[in-house]
Amino acid sequence: MDSVEAEQPEAIPSSPPSYKTELIHVFWHEGMLKHDTGKGVFDTGMDPGFLDVLENHPENSDRIRNMVSILKRGPISPFISWHVGRPAQISELLTFHTQEYINELVEADREGGKMICAGTFLNPGSWDCALLAAGTTLSAMKHIIDGCGKISYALVRPPGHHAQPNQEGFYHSDEVLTISLHMNHGSWGPSHPQSGTVDELGEGKGFGYNLNIPLPNGTGDRGYDYAMRQLVVPAVEKFKPDMLVLVIGEDSSAFDPNGRQCLTMDGYRVIGQTVRGLADKHSHGCLLIVQEGGYHVTYSAYCLHAILEGVLKIPVPLLSDPIAYYPEDEAFSVKVIESIKDYQINTVPFL
């Protein structure tokens, strides 16, 4: 792949705030900005011929540029240590994906790209970016396993949540507990045939170790916090994991063009605090964070900042919310969460 000059880490200020906290080791490579998803009507890539202005695909490089810059120049910058990512090797991909799938993507890249499914495009250069995203995530995990740091964050794109096969790689395993909080969206098509419903619990030995928490549209800060306290924390407490991985997508924010949820910076900050508490209790404070969605070019960066503030247990927010409070009536969300809780307790053996 083309060699890319990586951005140099910025120096950490010599006078950090007086309270003590961990550093977050951010793994990033600017080569991932080369993934070009194009323009069109939202994420379709379609030009209908009667619009003067076509918008960027929601998963565009600008959203990541702002995430990088807010971590480099925002108030959280003294707590960030920068590391250069690297591409994954094919042998590493084969530990999870099939050779046929990899061949399909290599051939698509060689032929100039293709639409993998609706809204998901592979254009020239995208394959190299995907390798960087996978390899950078592996490097972030290895940094923790090797004892070089406790908290790593893989700031990567393209997002991995449309990858097949086998995105459902842990669906038959009882060694990994997968918990997903998401809007009630249904199937996304061939690249994501699962619908995310509560009865998709895993199969075989993995039955009960895939917990979906589909939340009603409009669920906000208090609803997500209630789901964390009532469903996520108890499941993690019973599973007793050796390692926690927080896969974050800020497309659940109140102002995301793709999601239909209502989280604000306060809600994301609390989620970060909650997950950090679980990591402190079960994995000696070790936590891998991996970037996924989040498509509001500005607000996604602010929400990321808030998540990491929570993970760092910073007592007073370093950054105020530029859009401020979004009203929430959590009554319906609470009813749904309680019904999911009843279903899981009566269906999942280890709960």
Side-chain angles (χ1 to χ4, degrees):
M1 58 187 296
D2 294 337
S3 61
V4 179
E5 249 340 278
E7 293 180 274
Q8 294 300 310
E10 293 190 353
I12 296 175
S14 58
S15 301
S18 58
Y19 49 87
K20 294 182 179 179
T21 189
E22 297 279 348
L23 287 177
I24 293 181
H25 297 269
V26 177
F27 286 75
W28 157 249
H29 195 296
E30 67 176 6
M32 287 180 279
L33 296 175
K34 290 188 174 182
H35 174 46
D36 182 5
T37 47
K39 294 178 180 289
V41 176
F42 196 58
D43 65 354
T44 64
M46 178 186 69
D47 180 354
F50 47 73
L51 295 177
D52 284 342
V53 180
L54 295 177
E55 59 189 312
N56 289 327
H57 188 287
E59 202 295 285
N60 60 73
S61 61
D62 287 346
R63 55 183 282 271
I64 296 296
R65 290 179 191 274
N66 271 351
M67 291 179 183
V68 172
S69 60
I70 203 169
L71 299 186
K72 288 194 170 185
R73 302 197 301 274
I76 204 170
S77 61
F79 307 107
I80 302 298
S81 175
W82 291 91
H83 304 263
V84 178
R86 53 94 177 174
Q89 302 298 312
I90 298 298
S91 59
E92 292 173 319
L93 299 182
L94 287 171
T95 64
F96 199 80
H97 297 288
T98 66
Q99 183 66 64
E100 292 76 16
Y101 179 64
I102 293 172
N103 291 344
E104 177 187 348
L105 298 181
V106 171
E107 184 64 23
D109 183 67
R110 186 181 295 122
E111 294 180 355
K114 67 181 291 187
M115 183 172 73
I116 304 299
C117 68
T120 303
F121 300 93
L122 186 71
N123 289 319
S126 298
W127 172 237
D128 288 344
C129 294
L131 290 174
L132 276 172
T136 298
T137 303
L138 291 173
S139 292
M141 173 62 89
K142 190 174 187 297
H143 192 76
I144 297 173
I145 293 174
D146 291 347
C148 300
K150 288 191 172 184
I151 307 173
S152 289
Y153 168 41
L155 179 49
V156 295
R157 76 180 285 262
H161 57 263
H162 285 271
Q164 291 279 343
N166 293 302
Q167 180 200 42
E168 68 282 2
F170 302 121
Y171 204 66
H172 296 82
S173 173
D174 60 358
E175 296 183 357
V176 177
L177 173 64
T178 301
I179 307 176
S180 175
L181 286 83
H182 49 262
M183 70 178 184
N184 195 2
H185 54 69
S187 172
W188 290 339
S191 77
H192 196 294
Q194 301 84 2
S195 58
T197 53
V198 293
D199 58 346
E200 292 176 346
L201 290 166
E203 295 178 354
K205 290 173 61 178
F207 181 80
Y209 294 90
N210 185 88
L211 301 179
N212 285 325
I213 306 173
L215 299 173
N217 290 353
T219 301
D221 296 345
R222 293 193 295 271
Y224 268 78
D225 182 42
Y226 191 74
M228 292 290 293
R229 289 185 284 108
Q230 294 294 316
L231 300 174
V232 177
V233 172
V236 173
E237 295 281 6
K238 290 198 174 185
F239 186 71
K240 295 180 171 54
D242 297 317
M243 169 61 71
L244 269 79
V245 180
L246 172 61
V247 181
I248 54 173
E250 295 85 7
D251 41 337
S252 49
S253 85
F255 307 99
D256 194 88
N258 197 32
R260 297 295 180 268
Q261 303 296 59
C262 291
L263 279 172
T264 69
M265 288 178 69
D266 285 343
Y268 286 112
R269 192 176 289 108
V270 170
I271 290 173
Q273 292 167 347
T274 302
V275 174
R276 175 62 189 277
L278 291 170
D280 286 344
K281 184 172 183 179
H282 295 286
S283 61
H284 307 287
C286 292
L287 174 64
L288 172 65
I289 307 167
V290 183
Q291 184 62 46
E292 282 280 346
Y295 307 108
H296 191 292
V297 171
T298 303
Y299 199 55
S300 292
Y302 276 81
C303 292
L304 167 65
H305 197 284
I307 292 168
L308 300 186
E309 287 179 35
V311 167
L312 289 169
K313 299 190 289 189
I314 294 173
V316 179
L318 300 175
L319 195 62
S320 60
D321 195 321
I323 306 180
Y325 181 71
Y326 194 92
E328 175 189 1
D329 177 5
E330 74 271 28
F332 180 56
S333 298
V334 168
K335 289 182 179 179
V336 172
I337 292 164
E338 287 296 330
S339 68
I340 295 174
K341 182 178 180 181
D342 290 341
Y343 174 81
Q344 289 182 352
I345 290 175
N346 292 323
T347 309
V348 177
F350 90 92
L351 290 177

